[in-house]
Amino acid sequence: MRTIQVSHIEAFSSIPGKGNPAGVILEADHLSEATMQQIAYAVGFNETVFVLKTNLADVRLRYFTPGHEIKLCGHATMAALYGLKMRGLFEGKDSITIETNVGILPVQFEQHGSAWFMEMKQDQPQFIPFQGDVEKLAKAIDLTLEDLDLTIPVVYGSTGTWTLLIPVRRLSAFAKMKPHSSQFPSILAENPKSSLHPFCLETRDSDAMMHARHFSSPYSGTTEDPVTGTASGVMGAYYLTYVNREIQEADFVVEQGHEVGRDGKVQVSVRREQQGMDVRIRGTAVYVQEMSVEIDS
């Protein structure tokens, strides 16, 4: 057995225990892909991020759920960059680039008092219609058809990671949601490894415009992601594409995590461009602790 040190950093909150936890390995060049996967499984968070050297950007990031590698993860990006910033890297820099499996993405740093905020650009948004059974979909998260807002579409969306966006009528429905994850792949025939992201335009806090939960694909090895960066970004693109088609840009806050004892806030900024959209998310992070996990050598 080998012991690996992992930093536990939480994104989208400045209060330990209220954000989305990520495992962060800041010097991962010596680790094989198989070892990275073992570490992510042992850590058990929704994502563990590995920081590597690259000639193409300032850093390279790879993201693993306990079950598999994913192309992009918003909260783990925030956690990794916060960890690097707290180590004194990027001193004097207010912008860097990161290499990910969706390409090179820019990140900006901004300091407010003692808190650092990171803003990351996401991949171009993509949408695929959901053509499955909407009633079965609702039942898979313990809702009824009447709980859904079908005046706007249920669609798969991605700005780096695919999720199924499910509009919900009322905030009160979120407390009764319970994911039956094993049912997801058969319902999501077009994209069986997608996660589920129910959301609504009724919020708990007055500074937020959307409320959401995020239920993981069973292939990922987790059940629920408390505060989701990439899905919040694609919700911005969804808003301009399906909800408010007349405006050119939107800036708003997504709240998430209350049902699982968290209190996360993701700032979303989306702009129409000649080709596609510019989608960005912004948030802070907080260091929690060092962890030790054991893996097979």
Side-chain angles (χ1 to χ4, degrees), residues 144-221:
T144 67
L145 204 55
E146 290 70 31
D147 288 315
L148 306 188
D149 179 4
L150 299 180
T151 63
I152 48 179
V154 177
V155 297
Y156 300 95
S158 173
T159 50
T161 301
W162 285 102
T163 192
L164 184 67
L165 297 165
I166 307 169
V168 176
R169 292 180 186 273
R170 294 282 178 255
L171 179 64
S172 56
F174 285 78
K176 66 180 182 179
M177 291 179 186
K178 180 182 177 183
H180 303 284
S181 307
S182 63
Q183 299 177 18
F184 293 175
S186 63
I187 295 170
L188 310 181
E190 305 90 354
N191 200 343
K193 291 189 176 181
S194 176
S195 56
L196 270 59
H197 197 74
F199 71 95
C200 75
L201 299 175
E202 185 179 349
T203 61
R204 193 184 92 149
D205 297 338
S206 60
D207 64 339
M209 191 178 82
M210 291 186 183
H211 184 93
R213 292 184 73 174
H214 189 89
F215 300 123
S216 308
S217 160
Y219 297 103
S220 71

Side-chain angles (χ1 to χ4, degrees), residues 26-30 50-62 81 84 89-90 93 96-101 103-105:
L26 293 178
E27 296 175 353
D29 295 277
H30 63 291
F50 298 85
V51 182
L52 303 104
K53 295 175 183 176
T54 176
N55 294 323
L56 301 178
D58 290 282
V59 292
R60 182 186 179 199
L61 301 181
R62 294 183 70 176
L81 296 180
L84 290 167
L89 276 77
F90 314 132
K93 282 190 172 185
I96 62 164
T97 56
I98 59 173
E99 180 188 350
T100 73
N101 285 351
I104 308 295
L105 301 175

Side-chain angles (χ1 to χ4, degrees), residues 274-285:
Q274 285 189 340
Q275 299 292 327
M277 293 184 190
D278 182 276
V279 179
R280 297 171 188 262
I281 60 169
R282 182 175 179 272
T284 188

